[in-house]
Amino acid sequence: MKKVIVFIKQVPDTSELKIDPVTNTMIREGVPSIINPFDMYAIEEAVRIKEKWGDTEVTVITMGPPQADAALREAISMGCDNAVLLSDRKFAASDTWATSYVLSKAVGKIGEYDVLLAGKQATDGDTAQVGPGIATWLGIPCITYVNNIEEIKPGYVKLHRMHDEGYDVIEIEGKFLLTVLKELNEPRIASFRGKMNAKKAEIPVWTAEDIGADPAKIGFMGSPTRVVKAFSPPVKQGGIKISAEEDPSVPEKLKSYLREKLII
Amino acid sequence: MMSSKYDLTDEQKELVAIAREIAEKKIKPIRAELDETQEFPYDIVKIFGQSDLYRVFVPSEYEGLGMGVYESSLITEELSRVCGGIALAYAGSLLGTFPILLFGNEEQKKRFLPPIASGEKLAAFCLTEPEAGSDASNVRTTAKKEGDYYILNGTKQWITNGGVAGLYSVFANIDISRGIRGITAFVVDRDTPGFSIGKKENKLGIRASNTTELIFNNCKVPAANMLAKEGQGFKVAMKTFDMSRPGVAAQALGIAQGAYEEALKYAHERKQFGQTIYSFQAVRFMIADMAMKIEAARALVYQSAKLADAKDPDSGPYSAMAKAFASDVAMEVTVNAVQVLAGYGYMKEYPVEKMMRDAKITQIYEGTNQIQREVIATHLTKELSRLEKK
């Protein structure tokens, strides 16, 4: 039996987040929760891998409060086989370092696996650190920003990693963790049988003790990160566009622009 | 309001939710384009299959979910609310499957139903011919027995899913001189030698649905594919209609619901003479009538679907009432929705003119509404003898 593990996060369903002015952390009360949108592509990819390989089990994991059970059930309705909820008061206020430690310990408890998948980042924290963090704790390679998988089989993958200038083609042998982009696939609508499975599924809750987590590495006290200030990042500016059809003086304009920027 | 006012089970609610999600997220963005191009929604069919919708009407022994006409009708209603044409890629397969569900033997069900349940193969129902419309008994396609095969010759027309199905329920006559008692039903695989797809029709409405001619030219069908017995085909067709009419009724109901919702929204947004047009009695009463008639149709459609599932002996006339009533309501509501949206409603940028074109077929196919009234009236004669006995 081959094994794919997907890491997901339940996030507030809104872009209008409210920040607690004292602690500088998010106010989560009263906001409906969804699966982090990027994680939906990871779930879809895991289920596609299962359909391609056959004899493969997909386990979905999240760390969160008891309500995160709903996110795991939604993942099962899309075709994941089983789920684990990591929930313990001791995990509360973990930063990305502590969270990825906890998730890696859960992988340790599960044991064997072939592929680990996560979304590129969560829409609430936007750090994109937990996926790579898990891979670091486990000592396996991590490829971020995956937008195309050319070939995948147990112990091997050939894929595209997207960046601003284009994409890299990467091959890996052995175990690996991928964080995925929305360009990778289109998440399916849950099937009826999936929804019935999700209702019936028994989802175990694992505590810090269950996974053998070091108390000094979890929760607020185990988290080295301190949030100093939260703000919206500036919008990334695109390049300039000058059209030769509309303006015959374009070559001159381009030349002076490049000189100004000290490119030529 | 839709099905939420009815006492649905959790499973039925899930099916409605899945159908609505597919309709809103996947069908709505492409319906206008497919209406224009008449292209078949293969991607949507894949989603129907992946979501288990085709499993609903197949018994669990054959990889289905073992539900029935009622659940399929709830799904058809939801899909039709957004696009009556694309909904037929679902409902048309159910129509084509009924002859197998009702009259197939164990071996045939095992062979034919699993690929229908998964959505791998669509089914099509093939009765109508140039000379056999309302007079469905006038089938001219022939079937001649030769050894372990029947050789089919003839032409079927206006077949829903004609060009895209994998399995076809076909009605042919083994002996024209026997008339109605010669009609026999067969399941024909798309790959059968001598079977081919003819002209694709250019239609007024339901344009995303694939409607074609089918040609049987010495088409060699295994005798093991005959449904029921020789000469029982007309009964197969009529029993199929008793079960399938709630589906057409549900399609009409969904189209009406979609048009009414558009009219209701528009009437609240559109301002003339300094107020919303919904504040004018002429408009608000039109919309009140839509809501009232749709709710009445819904009660009848659901009741007829439940009677079909219960195999009630009166389910035939009930489903005829549901089909005729719901489709007449759909026609009236869609025409009035265009009237409420007026100039905008007449334009293709708004969906109501398409809904009006889509609605028309529901008064025509699977028995015109005049034929439905014949079915009802014939039943009423029996009612009279029941009344007199009391």
Side-chain angles (χ1 to χ4, degrees):
Chain A
M1 170 87 72
K2 288 151 302 239
K3 180 109 182 165
V4 180
I5 300 174
V6 191
F7 303 98
I8 68 169
K9 185 180 188 185
Q10 198 178 39
V11 297
D13 183 10
T14 173
S15 47
E16 301 285 315
L17 289 176
K18 290 200 178 78
I19 305 291
D20 185 316
V22 181
T23 61
N24 275 332
T25 55
M26 254 169 9
I27 303 169
R28 290 173 187 270
E29 284 76 35
V31 184
S33 297
I34 56 166
I35 294 178
N36 172 42
F38 290 109
D39 299 346
M40 297 293 274
Y41 307 101
I43 293 169
E44 175 64 29
E45 201 57 34
V47 175
R48 287 185 187 190
I49 291 170
K50 173 176 112 172
E51 287 168 350
K52 197 185 288 174
W53 288 358
D55 189 36
T56 301
E57 186 180 65
V58 178
T59 298
V60 54
I61 303 183
T62 193
M63 185 182 99
Q67 306 87 279
D69 178 87
L72 294 172
R73 286 185 197 277
E74 192 183 338
I76 291 173
S77 76
M78 289 173 69
C80 296
D81 296 288
N82 49 50
V84 175
L85 173 61
L86 298 162
S87 196
D88 191 326
R89 297 192 80 88
K90 292 176 191 144
F91 295 148
S94 290
D95 69 358
T96 57
W97 190 85
T99 301
S100 51
Y101 169 71
V102 169
L103 292 168
S104 72
K105 293 299 280 184
V107 173
K109 184 172 160 74
I110 288 169
E112 280 306 304
Y113 63 87
D114 294 283
V115 179
L116 304 181
L117 290 167
K120 74 153 178 165
Q121 66 193 57
T123 53
D124 52 0
D126 272 338
T127 66
Q129 289 168 356
V130 171
I134 298 166
T136 307
W137 282 107
L138 293 170
I140 61 170
C142 170
I143 310 298
T144 51
Y145 306 108
V146 174
N147 70 337
N148 182 10
I149 295 179
E150 281 189 24
E151 193 188 348
I152 187 161
K153 50 192 186 187
Y156 175 81
V157 68
K158 184 176 182 187
L159 51 74
H160 295 185
R161 173 172 61 193
M162 196 153 95
H163 47 77
D164 283 351
E165 283 80 36
Y167 62 86
D168 304 322
V169 180
I170 299 171
E171 282 179 283
I172 308 175
E173 284 180 2
K175 297 176 191 297
F176 47 84
L177 185 147
L178 313 178
T179 75
V180 304
L181 300 180
K182 70 173 191 296
E183 288 77 9
L184 184 62
N185 58 43
E186 193 183 338
R188 70 193 61 196
I189 287 171
S191 71
F192 179 78
R193 291 183 301 176
K195 286 193 174 192
M196 292 298 119
N197 289 341
K199 267 189 188 156
K200 283 183 291 191
E202 283 182 22
I203 298 179
V205 180
W206 290 355
T207 62
E209 200 181 323
D210 290 331
I211 56 172
D214 177 351
K217 290 180 179 165
I218 60 172
F220 187 73
M221 294 315 288
S223 296
T225 314
R226 290 293 172 267
V227 179
V228 181
K229 188 183 161 203
F231 60 94
S232 298
V235 178
K236 217 172 176 181
Q237 298 296 325
I240 59 156
K241 271 185 193 164
I242 0 182
S243 165
E245 281 170 24
E246 288 163 19
D247 185 351
S249 64
V250 162
E252 280 312 309
K253 278 188 178 162
L254 186 60
K255 227 185 270 173
S256 61
Y257 175 79
L258 293 174
R259 278 202 193 103
E260 197 183 303
K261 295 280 170 191
L262 306 175
I263 295 170
I264 53 174
Chain B
M1 279 177 262
M2 300 202 68
S3 54
S4 62
K5 293 287 170 200
Y6 288 80
D7 201 10
L8 301 189
T9 64
D10 285 350
E11 293 192 344
Q12 289 163 344
K13 283 180 197 159
E14 288 291 5
L15 287 173
V16 167
I18 292 169
R20 177 161 290 222
E21 192 179 355
I22 296 172
E24 288 290 336
K25 286 191 187 162
K26 308 289 179 182
I27 297 178
K28 198 177 255 179
I30 60 166
R31 64 178 171 185
E33 191 195 331
L34 296 200
D35 176 57
E36 193 71 33
T37 62
Q38 293 212 86
E39 269 168 42
F40 185 73
Y42 289 102
D43 292 348
I44 302 293
V45 165
K46 208 174 146 197
I47 294 170
F48 291 160
Q50 215 168 41
S51 313
D52 298 331
L53 296 190
Y54 292 114
R55 292 186 195 278
V56 167
F57 51 79
V58 173
S60 41
E61 306 93 279
Y62 312 104
E63 299 179 24
L65 292 166
M67 295 190 247
V69 174
Y70 185 36
E71 287 80 5
S72 312
S73 297
L74 291 169
I75 293 168
T76 301
E77 178 191 356
E78 283 294 342
L79 300 175
S80 303
R81 176 180 156 268
V82 169
C83 181
I86 294 176
L88 257 195
Y90 177 69
S93 197
L94 173 57
L95 172 65
T97 307
F98 267 124
I100 305 168
L101 290 170
L102 296 171
F103 294 94
N105 60 36
E106 183 61 22
E107 183 276 326
Q108 290 169 334
K109 287 180 178 173
K110 265 192 188 146
R111 194 150 48 100
F112 298 132
L113 293 179
I116 292 174
S118 67
E120 180 198 331
K121 286 184 181 177
L122 293 180
F125 182 85
C126 320
L127 176 64
T128 303
E129 296 181 7
E131 302 301 323
S134 290
D135 182 5
S137 67
N138 197 33
V139 164
R140 297 284 123 181
T141 297
T142 57
K144 228 179 216 125
K145 192 159 188 200
E146 277 183 20
D148 290 338
Y149 292 88
Y150 284 85
I151 310 300
L152 270 59
N153 278 291
T155 302
K156 295 286 173 185
Q157 74 175 15
W158 306 337
I159 303 305
T160 299
N161 285 346
V164 296
L167 291 170
Y168 298 80
S169 298
V170 180
F171 296 84
N173 203 317
I174 51 161
D175 180 357
I176 299 283
S177 70
R178 283 169 66 175
I180 206 166
R181 288 186 183 78
I183 298 174
T184 307
F186 300 91
V187 180
V188 178
D189 192 284
R190 183 190 182 88
D191 298 327
T192 310
F195 171 79
S196 61
I197 291 148
K199 157 179 103 142
K200 182 179 159 185
E201 301 295 344
N202 185 6
K203 306 188 294 290
L204 171 74
I206 55 163
R207 288 167 58 83
S209 177
N210 179 285
T211 311
T212 69
E213 198 177 52
L214 299 177
I215 299 153
F216 300 84
N217 184 10
N218 289 323
C219 175
K220 208 173 159 189
V221 180
N225 286 13
M226 182 173 71
L227 295 170
K229 291 181 183 146
E230 281 193 347
Q232 292 189 340
F234 195 70
K235 184 176 143 198
V236 173
M238 292 305 115
K239 289 283 172 196
T240 290
F241 285 144
D242 287 349
M243 298 297 274
S244 70
R245 281 190 298 250
V248 181
Q251 181 196 21
L253 178 62
I255 295 171
Q257 176 75 29
Y260 146 77
E261 288 178 19
E262 293 293 336
L264 180 66
K265 263 188 294 179
Y266 180 85
H268 280 84
E269 287 160 9
R270 173 72 170 170
K271 281 190 178 151
Q272 290 288 274
F273 308 102
Q275 49 197 318
T276 66
I277 61 169
Y278 196 73
S279 61
F280 299 112
Q281 195 181 62
V283 173
R284 58 198 282 120
F285 278 20
M286 268 169 101
I287 295 175
D289 277 342
M290 289 181 192
M292 184 167 73
K293 288 176 183 175
I294 287 170
E295 284 307 319
R298 179 165 293 119
L300 190 52
V301 172
Y302 288 6
Q303 175 66 358
S304 79
K306 287 178 186 170
L307 289 175
D309 282 331
K311 307 216 162 41
D312 188 286
D314 291 340
S315 72
Y318 258 94
S319 68
M321 288 182 196
K323 191 271 187 188
F325 187 79
S327 58
D328 286 348
V329 166
M331 202 64 245
E332 184 187 320
V333 166
T334 53
V335 167
N336 285 342
V338 173
Q339 192 66 22
V340 169
L341 273 76
Y344 290 107
Y346 199 72
M347 302 301 152
K348 294 211 172 196
E349 280 166 69
Y350 286 79
V352 288
E353 62 81 29
K354 170 186 176 297
M355 291 167 171
M356 183 179 90
R357 290 184 283 108
D358 288 351
K360 187 63 204 172
I361 192 63
T362 63
Q363 292 183 305
I364 297 171
Y365 65 6
E366 289 188 48
T368 62
N369 283 3
Q370 288 67 39
I371 289 291
Q372 304 307 323
R373 286 175 171 89
E374 271 302 319
V375 171
I376 297 162
T378 305
H379 170 76
L380 296 182
T381 310
K382 289 182 208 155
E383 274 293 297
L384 181 65
S385 63
R386 269 188 229 169
L387 286 173
E388 283 170 345
K389 268 182 205 158
K390 276 179 191 167

